[in-house]
Amino acid sequence: VSETPLKQVGPSAKHGAGTWKAERWTSLLLVPLALWGLWSVGDIAGAGYEGAVAWLRQPVNAALLLVTLAISAWHAVLGLHVVIEDYLHGGFGVFLLRLTTLMGWLLFAVAAGAVAVVFFGLGFGV
Amino acid sequence: MSKKTAGGSPQARNGGARPLVRPLSPHLQIWRFHATMLGSILHRMTGVGLVAGAIAVVAWLVALALGVDAYACFVAYAASPLGLLVWFLFSIAAFYHLAAGIRHLIWDTGAGLSIKTANALTNFSFVFTVVATAAFWAWLVMTGKVQP
């Protein structure tokens, strides 16, 4: 059906091919990461503060959570950009594109900071 | 927007006199119902919904970082009936977006694009969502991790 094999995607005039590939790669990586996240709910739900801290202090969990959040934020920004571009043209749309990108970075930065606080025990709690 | 604009380059059509008004994407109300149309709408809706879910996960992390009191406060909301409804909707959105996303990755290879197969893949993603969400919550409740 497709006339261009996947390997030959791109180049494009601007960033189109790169965006297309980023959408696919983030999707592909999020398949196992989302399943891991759903599985991890079983370790955290009902485990209380101590249980949640113990879970997050395991290096594998902290690392996978950061990777999952980073790729999710990237994927979400790409997805929201498609929605915005479909329905809003002009200045306000461009403003929202930039705002969603900023929100993606901010959300990840806050999450990474929180993970660091718990992981290294810098916190206000235990 | 109108059919008069068919043919000719965009610039030729408006003579370059005015900023180009390109058509917007088809809006929901003009579509006849079919499986892949519903699948597409749900994929987009769950995608946007998952952003709210991601914010809830970050809120959980922040509460955990703030300490035991903040975490108790977060859990009080998260384990309330309204909180459980939010997590439930989050899980449905996650399972559907996952299944529909895999379906898209299959389509991206050029496979499964006949109407019959495309509909079958879409219907499968609906069934998967219901079964996986039910199994997920049955697991959480039966192992005592969540008290409904």
Side-chain angles (χ1 to χ4, degrees):
Chain A
V1 176
S2 64
E3 303 205 346
T4 307
L6 281 183
K7 280 179 190 169
Q8 292 170 27
V9 168
S12 51
K14 291 177 183 172
H15 54 80
T19 303
W20 192 93
K21 284 180 181 171
E23 286 167 356
R24 270 76 203 163
W25 275 110
T26 54
S27 305
L28 209 56
L29 290 168
L30 280 172
V31 172
L33 291 172
L35 290 172
W36 168 79
L38 287 158
W39 175 254
S40 300
V41 170
D43 292 335
I44 297 158
Y49 177 77
E50 312 281 333
V53 168
W55 180 85
L56 194 53
R57 280 195 180 154
Q58 286 179 25
V60 176
N61 291 336
L64 279 177
L65 186 62
L66 281 178
V67 170
T68 305
L69 285 168
I71 297 176
S72 295
W74 189 5
H75 187 83
V77 168
L78 290 169
L80 289 174
H81 281 187
V82 174
V83 177
I84 292 164
E85 285 162 351
D86 272 355
Y87 294 108
L88 290 167
H89 294 174
F92 185 61
V94 174
F95 167 73
L96 278 186
L97 292 179
R98 289 178 183 159
L99 185 67
T100 44
T101 306
L102 180 68
M103 291 289 286
W105 281 108
L106 266 179
L107 202 62
F108 177 70
V110 170
V115 170
V117 165
V118 175
F119 189 79
F120 296 109
L122 312 169
F124 320 93
V126 170
Chain B
M1 289 282 188
S2 81
K3 287 187 176 176
K4 285 177 189 167
T5 57
S9 75
Q11 284 76 15
R13 264 182 260 139
N14 71 4
R18 286 178 296 129
L20 203 63
V21 180
R22 291 207 166 87
L24 294 170
S25 287
H27 285 266
L28 301 184
Q29 64 272 19
I30 71 164
W31 286 88
R32 176 183 59 77
F33 181 88
H34 55 285
T36 48
M37 156 268 201
L38 179 65
S40 173
I41 292 166
L42 289 176
H43 194 56
R44 182 163 284 200
M45 280 174 58
T46 53
V48 174
L50 285 170
V51 175
I55 292 170
V57 171
V58 175
W60 165 72
L61 275 171
V62 170
L64 196 61
L66 287 176
V68 68
D69 291 340
Y71 196 71
C73 181
F74 179 88
V75 170
Y77 283 108
S80 71
L82 188 64
L84 286 177
L85 177 67
V86 171
W87 298 123
F88 183 72
L89 293 174
F90 185 18
S91 68
I92 293 184
F95 281 120
Y96 178 70
H97 205 80
L98 179 69
I102 293 170
R103 183 191 60 148
H104 268 288
L105 289 170
I106 295 169
W107 284 339
D108 285 338
T109 68
L113 284 168
S114 74
I115 291 173
K116 197 179 165 194
T117 316
N119 283 338
L121 283 170
T122 305
N123 287 326
F124 175 78
S125 69
F126 295 151
V127 174
F128 171 83
T129 304
V130 174
V131 173
T133 307
F136 180 68
W137 284 91
W139 169 60
L140 289 176
V141 171
M142 284 162 71
T143 52
K145 297 173 200 303
V146 170
Q147 266 112 41

